[in-house]
Amino acid sequence: MQVTKTLDYAVRSLTYMGHQPIGKHSMKEISQEQHIPLSYLAKIMRRLVKKGLVRSSLGPDGGYTLRKSPNEINLRDIYEAIEGEIRMVECMDKDSICVLYDTCPQLPVWDKIQLSMVKILEDTTLADMLKERKNITMNQVN
Amino acid sequence: MQVTKTLDYAVRSLTYMGHQPIGKHSMKEISQEQHIPLSYLAKIMRRLVKKGLVRSSLGPDGGYTLRKSPNEINLRDIYEAIEGEIRMVECMDKDSICVLYDTCPQLPVWDKIQLSMVKILEDTTLADMLKERKNITMNQVN
DNA sequence: ATATTATGGAGTCACAAAGTCCACAATATA
DNA sequence: TATATTGTGGACTTTGTGACTCCATAATAT
């Protein structure tokens, strides 16, 4: 029931890129700025490319660019790109079989929690998170 | 971000006991009825005893009894007895240190999700879950 | 006295998260 | 066109922990 480091890395990378949504950002740059192991970051970025969240280009001056603007990328997209489909319990999987499924008293609870979680993730965009950061910075200044 | 089998076992055991809240239930009985490995259940019950959710008695005709009535035991109690304090991300731990903490843009999101999760867990009691089951059973009868 | 129950702790196993490494492909530019 | 720079793809290692077992011990009902 915890956010994995991998997801954290992905969110941090994308948030970082969100500061210059048009610009291109190399793995090296992201790795250094966000303190993420380069070779591990490589793996994560591949998923983000494959899922269509970022575009990549090779060669010198290559790197990554956001495919959509920060207010069009929500946390659910990122979550699912990294972790796959969201589900609180195994038995919510389509392929799973549980004899107790039909009368399971806990299922409604986990389902409720999952729904509220998905909603919050969906309602939160990269832009929101960038705003969040600015607010805090402003508070510090004042 | 998933419910562990251990937590599932704990909830199932307690729900089972909730059917006869006054009665005594041996590990063997619970294990057989709920299809939980006996030796593993032993470990789980120890935590529930230690955290004060159930009372245990030794010897023949020994077993476990709920310490409170089903409507006084909520899922948060059970969750925390098994998994410890609820926290979505490592850095929410008191002892953790993260340089980014003060300006971290994702923290508010995870915090929000965690709060809504805790609320739902707190609002859901064993009694609620027992009711849930009855409803479904009634639906099946009709 | 004996059988039955829970307790406490040590130990095993499997799997997945986290991270590394390397050979390869694309491409800008000198 | 040679070279340096960048991402790609896959294999591999490490580490931690969830899930589970086993056993010796303590309490207690009959």
Side-chain angles (χ1 to χ4, degrees), chain A residues 48-62:
Chain A
L48 297 182
V49 169
K50 192 167 266 177
K51 296 293 178 175
L53 293 182
V54 297
R55 186 186 317 117
S56 71
S57 54
L58 285 179
D61 198 45

Side-chain angles (χ1 to χ4, degrees), chain A residues 5-6 9 37 39-40 43 58 60:
Chain A
K5 257 184 179 178
T6 314
Y9 288 161
S39 53
Y40 194 50
K43 252 186 156 177
L58 285 179

